[in-house]
Amino acid sequence: MRIAVALSRSWQRVEVDPLTGALGGGHRGESAAEHAALEHALRLAELTGGQVHAITAGPAKAEEGLREALAVGADRATRVDLDTPLDPNALAHNGSTAAALAAAVPETPDLVLCGDRSTDGGTGATPALLAAHLGAAQALGAVHLELDGDRLLVHRRLDRGAREILRLPSPAVVSVEGGLRLRRAALPAVLAAQDAEIELLPWTPAPGRADVVSARPRRPRAREHPAPSGASAHHRVLELTGALVERTPPTVVGPLSAAEAADELLAYLRRHGYGARP
């Protein structure tokens, strides 16, 4: 199985000036979701005897993440020379990253793994756009991967505690959530990765069909509420704050043993719809 892992070079901390709205970035690097994707790729490669190709689109410093991937077991690494500015328009409407990552894999691999979202823009659109560029099937937000013969089973987390299991054909693009810890590299592998060759590809973005003039956050419309009808100022304040609305009082249960407390917690979750299973 040929597996590619897309590693991002996103800003780990973004600060917004409260007066001007200007963005300031701190450290850039890979997120926990990208590390989880890399670990999933290494485990699948071990099961199938496949190869792992680590790819990224970013500046020269992005090679740090690629060398880490080589140290833990990736077979090759490729960087596309692309530096996305820290700008709201670029973060919200950056489709060039997916196109650059697609250019890093001249032959479509059997599986491409990505993190579910970056730490700066957080739109989660890059895996879907990458699947469109490669003409591959996609599954977003996976929490567990396993093999079913020559097919890949992807477990996704749904609302209310449910799970969805997808059987994907090849090629496929899968984004995974964080949670799976990346293995630690041995010191000889770390030293060898410092001198390993990383393929560098230039990138010239294609002219876009439309230019983004501005990008603004969504501002919900104001809703008109009826004036309070209380006879006194005290009752009007209570009505405005919702203090007069009837609510279910909290239930105090206990002291209980650990087993009884667990049963009480499970019963509460079932009453609120979290006990259903697919």
Side-chain angles (χ1 to χ4, degrees):
M1 176 181 287
R2 296 175 302 164
I3 307 172
V5 182
L7 303 176
S8 71
R9 181 70 179 175
S10 55
W11 281 267
Q12 303 298 302
R13 295 181 300 275
V14 178
E15 300 177 354
V16 182
D17 191 302
L19 296 179
T20 64
L23 300 181
H27 173 67
R28 295 175 68 177
E30 296 74 30
S31 65
E34 269 104 31
H35 285 165
L38 179 56
E39 180 62 29
H40 278 296
L42 295 173
R43 294 185 181 185
L44 290 175
E46 291 172 352
L47 293 175
T48 61
Q51 293 186 342
V52 176
H53 182 190
I55 60 176
T56 190
K61 289 187 176 181
E63 293 185 359
E64 298 174 0
L66 293 178
R67 297 194 184 279
E68 181 183 11
L70 292 172
V72 295
D75 298 281
R76 55 181 295 203
T78 302
R79 178 176 69 88
V80 181
D81 194 13
L82 172 68
D83 193 6
T84 304
L86 183 58
D87 178 81
N89 294 342
L91 295 179
H93 301 277
N94 182 29
S96 59
T97 301
L101 291 173
V105 283
E107 297 182 2
T108 303
D110 300 314
L111 176 63
V112 180
L113 293 177
C114 315
D116 58 345
R117 61 177 60 88
S118 62
T119 53
D120 44 24
T123 61
T126 298
L129 292 173
L130 182 57
H133 282 290
L134 297 176
Q138 62 172 313
L140 308 180
V143 295
H144 179 66
L145 303 178
E146 60 179 321
L147 293 174
D148 182 18
D150 59 347
R151 304 286 289 273
L152 181 69
L153 292 183
V154 177
H155 296 244
R156 298 180 63 244
R157 191 196 314 273
L158 302 181
D159 295 336
R160 306 176 73 87
R163 291 289 188 272
E164 180 183 55
I165 302 177
L166 303 176
R167 182 180 288 108
L168 295 182
S170 177
V173 177
V174 178
S175 68
V176 302
E177 297 183 3
L180 188 62
R181 185 181 296 275
L182 180 62
R183 64 190 64 183
R184 186 182 297 273
L187 180 59
V190 173
L191 297 177
Q194 301 305 313
D195 299 326
E197 180 182 358
I198 294 179
E199 183 181 5
L200 177 62
L201 297 178
W203 174 246
T204 303
R209 297 183 179 180
D211 295 330
V212 179
V213 178
S214 65
R216 300 178 181 178
R218 176 182 176 272
R219 295 183 179 180
R221 296 181 179 179
R223 294 185 299 173
E224 182 179 355
H225 294 273
S229 57
S232 64
H234 177 69
H235 283 82
R236 289 194 293 271
V237 170
L238 292 178
E239 186 177 347
L240 286 172
T241 57
L244 301 179
V245 178
E246 294 186 3
R247 293 181 174 85
T248 303
T251 302
V252 179
V253 180
L256 300 175
S257 64
E260 292 172 335
D263 292 339
E264 192 69 30
L265 176 59
L266 291 174
Y268 174 85
L269 294 175
R270 293 190 187 99
R271 290 196 300 270
H272 289 79
Y274 287 95
R277 289 291 184 272

